[in-house]
Amino acid sequence: MSIKTILRMGDPRLLQVASPVTDFAAPSLAELLRDMDDTMVAAGGAGLAAPQIGIGLRVVIFGTGEVLERYPEAPPVPRTVLINPVLDVLPAGSEDLEEDWEGCLSVPGLRGRVPRHRRLRYRGFDAAGQPIDREVEGFHARVVQHECDHLDGILYPMRIRDFAHFGFTEVLFPGLDPAED
Ligand code: NI
């Protein structure tokens, strides 16, 4: 078990475009996935992208399989390893954006309202190199967009349109578990 340090906003490594995984059998990939899982669980996160622990590969993990205290209305997102993801908005070309609150383990203590596509199809590969192909909406779609943004060097504050809805978690949501995603 290895809990890694999560890079915080301001670290230039969070702004880089990550590279695709080419060797699914590499021991280093299995080790990365274990480290990401340990780190996400320890931090109480809803997702984590490899660049957040300083690894510039197109790997994200997300979902706890449980309803989250801070998103009580959201149906559980299955625990997922997603490698080399490709996202397609549904319906194609849709500008159907909705705003909701997000946090990020790399932006601790803050939350903001972020516009995201409501529905999407995502494809990629699991830890064994098997294809994943899902159509999702709502919170699940939001989490995928947030995590995959990390692979392109985008942090959620860069997508906020109205900074009137950006602030400290403990001020915005008194009493909420201070864990971030
Ligand atoms: Ni994040």
Side-chain angles (χ1 to χ4, degrees), residues 60-76:
V60 300
I61 64 172
F62 53 84
T64 60
E66 295 170 1
V67 172
L68 300 174
E69 182 193 341
R70 56 196 185 281
Y71 303 104
E73 280 106 55

Side-chain angles (χ1 to χ4, degrees), residues 6 8 39-48 52 64 68-71 101-112 139 146-147 150 156 166-173 176-181:
I6 298 173
R8 288 180 300 162
T39 304
M40 185 180 97
V41 169
L48 190 72
Q52 291 182 276
T64 60
L68 300 174
E69 182 193 341
R70 56 196 185 281
Y71 303 104
W101 294 99
E102 294 185 18
C104 181
L105 293 170
S106 294
V107 191
L110 294 162
R111 299 210 144 212
F139 180 69
H146 176 116
E147 297 310 329
H150 280 294
Y156 83 81
F166 182 51
F168 292 98
T169 309
E170 62 187 18
V171 179
L172 288 163
F173 303 104
L176 193 72
D177 184 323
E180 311 296 333
D181 60 355

